[in-house]
Amino acid sequence: MTADSTHSSTNELNGTPQSNKPLWNSNSGQQTPLISNNKSPFQNGTSNVTQQLNIQEHEPLVINKTYNVYLSNLEVPNIIFAATLDDYVNATLLITQMNKHEQLSKVQANSYKSKLTVGQACAALFNGDWYRARVLETGENRVRVQYIDWGNSGWCDSILEIRPLPNEYYKDPALCVKCILDGIPSNEKLSQEQTNNILGILVLDLKLEMTVLRIENGFPVVQLNLHERNLNNEILSIFSSTNVTKQNQIVNFDSNKPDINLSEMHHVQLTTVDAQSECFHVLLMRDFLPTIMNILKDWNANKQPLTVQTKPDTLICAQYDADNLWYRAWIESITENGCRVYFVDFGNEEIVSNDRISECPDILKTIPWQSVQIKLANIKLTDDERDTLLRDFESERLEMKIMQKNQDIYLVDLLQNGKSLADHILELRKKEQQQITPKPTEIPKLLAEPVQQKLPKTPVPISKTKTESFPQTANEISRTISQAVQPIVDLLQRPPTLNNNQIFQSGITKTSIITDTAKKPLFSSSNTTPKQVLTSEKDNDTSVNDNLTILITEQRRQNRLLEQVIAAINTTNSLLTQLVQR
């Protein structure tokens, strides 16, 4: 089967019009050997020219060598025309050069003074552009040509769409090679669906790896690959799908799970957080995945509407609500609103209405499911951490190293660029702990120890004015401590500080004073230093002793208050530590 019958559908499949080069036509036909000469068949307008300039064929490809190529044309199911990277660039440049050439861009008619012959080189029009071509067949008012640098063929008006090829365009050899796909039968009769599926695999203008296996009848027999995909095998699987019946068959869940080599490294993509604790579902990025996606890319319910009643344990196609795209799905149960389905290639579940369900294409029924259930080894994840990993790495291509298998769950290590996702979680935990845990605050030694009153060796009298102010000062201290203890959270945010500049002066002796969170001193010294009272020695001793007694009593009361503050701080710190540990 050729691609002639699928010209319009193929362009639609690729999504862009192929207007700049002659693509997707069929049957190149037999190429007639040309006779080499130095003269153009169109020179001097002679009608009996038999000798022609020759455009050389592409140089032979080397067996067992892999080339990076683009496909320029197809003849379904097993014929391709391939161009190396250099050929592809040169062919594209040639289009631009030819369409600027004065001989071709000038409007003219009846360019040929001689009769066109099979095998003759010429310039032929395709979608408004001129290309190098060779005559394959002649008619009364038209000729069929092969576009030499792209491989496709078509009919042209012999007067309006054919012109002499300028001499400078004979020097370059053909810029594509006709090849045969290894292992693909050529005598199979394909349905339109199978043809479209093959065209969805052999995508034009996509760089592929082509390995030449051998030469048969002058044509290279090749193997096509796209990264890890074996395109020959994908096409071959399309032929086997003809034996699959159209009706929905009961599909066993376990029998369709993919086979995984435990010793190999696998490329995967995170797809969903599983309902089971600590588990994910990952998509295996294997050969058949692009086939699945290409076939379902433009799928809709009208292509293959469901003709049988929905029932559990059957494979269908379902439209996912989040993106309105179609995916393979397995019906778990029937609900009032439709079907509860399991998307077999991605691992998530959803209830879909009956108008969002379609028959599964035959070729997709034979492909194993691409989703597996995994759990990260050597680390336990919270639900939030699983969501974080899915959010951060959902679009990334990851490497999966399998540690062991526990029933249907694979215990794995997931790597991105050599870095484990488990290490990523540990780093996030460390950062989170640093943000929550406050910086350790050392309790000053003065706050941790009772304030000791140093008694002077020689009693020094205290002024009466200062002594009388003690009751009032004590009341102020009580209010200040009370205010500092009540808001415990504020104490955590602003630990008590000491103001060593606030000193109660008593002659030679100085006593350090504690301040609250607002740095208000518990003890405030008067602006003036107490003056000594000149009186008798006995009166002085009595007065000093009384004042010292009051001072010591007051100091002890302060110590008890400070101990209460310290106890409150310690309790709060203990609660905070428990909170961080949780």
Side-chain angles (χ1 to χ4, degrees):
M1 178 178 294
T2 69
D4 280 331
S5 61
T6 61
H7 179 81
S8 60
S9 64
T10 303
N11 285 331
E12 181 181 352
L13 179 65
N14 287 280
T16 56
Q18 304 291 337
S19 60
N20 62 330
K21 47 187 177 289
L23 303 177
W24 292 105
N25 286 298
S26 62
N27 293 345
S28 61
Q30 298 296 324
Q31 299 177 7
T32 304
L34 302 180
I35 302 174
S36 177
N37 194 9
N38 294 327
K39 293 186 179 181
S40 168
F42 307 112
Q43 290 178 347
N44 301 325
T46 58
S47 59
N48 56 353
V49 175
T50 58
Q51 292 182 329
Q52 305 169 8
L53 286 176
N54 183 25
I55 296 178
Q56 299 293 329
E57 295 299 322
H58 194 284
E59 64 178 82
L61 300 181
V62 180
I63 297 176
N64 295 328
K65 182 177 180 179
T66 299
Y67 297 84
N68 289 321
V69 300
Y70 289 98
L71 301 183
S72 59
N73 186 57
L74 309 173
E75 293 179 13
V76 177
N78 68 330
I79 303 297
I80 64 170
F81 287 84
T84 65
L85 300 186
D86 289 340
D87 291 339
Y88 192 82
V89 172
N90 292 334
T92 304
L93 292 175
L94 190 61
I95 298 173
T96 303
Q97 295 173 3
M98 289 183 63
N99 285 278
K100 291 182 179 179
H101 197 281
E102 181 180 2
Q103 183 178 332
L104 297 175
S105 60
K106 183 179 179 181
V107 177
Q108 54 184 316
N110 296 322
S111 300
Y112 284 98
K113 303 296 183 181
S114 60
K115 183 178 180 180
L116 294 171
T117 59
V118 173
Q120 182 175 332
C122 62
L125 201 64
F126 182 88
N127 285 351
D129 291 321
W130 292 100
Y131 297 84
R132 298 196 302 176
R134 180 180 290 117
V135 177
L136 300 178
E137 184 180 350
T138 60
E140 184 176 354
N141 294 315
R142 62 177 188 162
V143 293
R144 189 167 72 89
V145 299
Q146 179 193 21
Y147 296 92
I148 294 173
D149 300 312
W150 301 94
N152 59 317
S153 61
W155 287 93
C156 295
D157 186 287
S158 58
I159 296 177
L160 301 178
E161 298 178 324
I162 300 293
R163 292 184 185 174
L165 183 67
N167 288 351
E168 55 263 40
Y169 298 126
Y170 283 87
K171 60 181 181 180
D172 293 325
L175 298 176
C176 70
V177 184
K178 181 179 179 180
C179 304
I180 300 174
L181 292 177
D182 182 51
I184 308 301
S186 59
N187 55 355
E188 291 281 345
K189 184 177 180 181
L190 300 179
S191 65
Q192 185 64 42
E193 179 188 352
Q194 290 174 315
T195 301
N196 292 337
N197 290 341
I198 293 176
L199 297 179
I201 295 172
L202 300 176
V203 180
L204 300 182
D205 296 340
L206 184 65
K207 186 170 71 172
L208 306 173
E209 297 87 40
M210 183 179 77
T211 302
V212 180
L213 304 178
R214 59 188 180 277
I215 304 296
E216 290 184 0
N217 300 323
F219 296 105
V221 179
V222 300
Q223 164 69 53
L224 281 183
N225 288 86
L226 177 59
H227 305 303
E228 298 178 355
R229 294 173 54 192
N230 185 323
L231 302 188
N232 291 46
N233 286 345
E234 292 186 21
I235 295 173
L236 189 60
S237 69
I238 294 176
F239 292 92
S240 62
S241 67
T242 57
N243 298 325
V244 180
T245 59
K246 293 286 184 180
Q247 64 182 2
N248 273 351
Q249 296 177 335
I250 298 297
V251 176
N252 182 272
F253 186 91
D254 293 328
S255 63
N256 282 272
K257 292 180 179 179
D259 293 328
I260 299 181
N261 190 330
L262 301 182
S263 61
E264 292 182 358
M265 186 76 77
H266 303 271
H267 293 285
V268 299
Q269 185 175 357
L270 283 175
T271 56
T272 186
V273 171
D274 191 72
Q276 189 166 343
S277 176
E278 301 185 52
C279 290
F280 297 92
H281 275 276
V282 295
L283 169 67
L284 294 172
M285 304 184 75
R286 290 182 164 182
D287 292 349
F288 288 118
L289 179 61
T291 302
I292 297 171
M293 303 312 295
N294 284 333
I295 293 175
L296 296 179
K297 180 176 61 175
D298 300 319
W299 195 256
N300 59 69
N302 295 328
K303 288 189 175 181
Q304 277 189 286
L306 207 60
T307 57
V308 296
Q309 185 178 3
T310 56
K311 56 184 178 181
D313 301 336
T314 55
L315 187 66
I316 47 94
C317 284
Q319 193 175 23
Y320 185 47
D321 183 65
D323 56 17
N324 288 326
L325 296 179
W326 291 84
Y327 302 94
R328 296 196 301 167
W330 183 75
I331 299 178
E332 293 182 328
S333 60
I334 307 300
T335 68
E336 295 181 357
N337 300 322
C339 300
R340 183 173 187 84
V341 301
Y342 169 78
F343 290 96
V344 299
D345 299 314
F346 294 86
N348 52 318
E349 301 177 359
E350 187 175 81
I351 296 178
V352 296
S353 57
N354 291 328
D355 61 335
R356 298 168 73 88
I357 293 177
S358 169
E359 180 74 27
C360 182
D362 292 341
I363 182 177
L364 300 186
K365 293 180 179 179
T366 61
I367 298 177
W369 300 349
Q370 301 298 298
S371 176
V372 293
Q373 189 179 22
I374 63 107
K375 179 189 292 187
L376 293 188
N378 303 324
I379 188 173
K380 291 186 176 182
L381 301 178
T382 66
D383 289 344
D384 289 341
E385 287 172 341
R386 288 195 295 162
D387 292 336
T388 298
L389 285 181
L390 183 63
R391 182 195 65 214
D392 294 346
F393 297 97
E394 186 176 16
S395 59
E396 301 294 331
R397 180 185 175 94
L398 305 174
E399 291 181 326
M400 183 177 74
K401 181 179 181 181
I402 300 176
M403 304 301 186
Q404 67 181 88
K405 183 180 180 182
N406 184 4
Q407 294 181 348
D408 292 331
I409 300 176
Y410 294 88
L411 301 180
V412 305
D413 188 16
L414 295 180
L415 307 171
Q416 185 203 31
N417 299 327
K419 181 180 179 180
S420 172
L421 267 59
D423 292 339
H424 178 76
I425 287 295
L426 293 177
E427 291 177 0
L428 292 180
R429 289 178 180 177
K430 184 176 179 180
K431 291 180 181 179
E432 184 178 358
Q433 185 175 6
Q434 289 175 348
Q435 293 174 355
I436 294 178
T437 305
K439 295 181 179 180
T441 303
E442 294 184 359
I443 300 178
K445 184 177 181 181
L446 184 59
L447 184 61
E449 298 178 355
V451 178
Q452 298 180 355
Q453 175 64 41
K454 289 185 178 181
L455 298 178
K457 294 181 179 180
T458 304
V460 179
I462 306 299
S463 67
K464 185 177 181 181
T465 303
K466 188 65 181 179
T467 304
E468 292 174 349
S469 67
F470 277 146
Q472 181 180 358
T473 305
N475 292 334
E476 293 175 355
I477 293 171
S478 177
R479 289 194 300 271
T480 305
I481 295 296
S482 176
Q483 293 172 358
V485 173
Q486 287 176 2
I488 294 179
V489 177
D490 188 57
L491 282 174
L492 294 177
Q493 296 173 349
R494 299 189 300 167
T497 59
L498 296 178
N499 189 343
N500 293 326
N501 294 325
Q502 300 296 334
I503 303 173
F504 182 81
Q505 300 180 358
S506 175
I508 299 174
T509 306
K510 297 181 180 179
T511 304
S512 297
I513 307 301
I514 309 301
T515 61
D516 67 359
T517 56
K519 295 187 179 181
K520 295 180 180 179
L522 300 180
F523 275 90
S524 296
S525 61
S526 61
N527 295 329
T528 59
T529 304
K531 298 180 180 180
Q532 295 182 358
V533 180
L534 299 178
T535 182
S536 64
E537 183 177 356
K538 182 177 180 180
D539 293 336
N540 287 340
D541 291 341
T542 303
S543 177
V544 169
N545 290 336
D546 292 340
N547 289 335
L548 287 176
T549 301
I550 296 173
L551 179 60
I552 292 171
T553 303
E554 185 63 32
Q555 191 66 60
R556 289 175 177 173
R557 193 176 67 82
Q558 293 178 42
N559 289 345
R560 288 194 297 271
L561 292 175
L562 289 174
E563 289 174 356
Q564 294 176 3
V565 173
I566 293 171
I569 293 174
N570 290 337
T571 301
T572 305
N573 286 338
S574 177
L575 293 174
L576 182 59
T577 301
Q578 295 177 8
L579 177 61
V580 171
Q581 291 175 348
R582 291 178 183 176

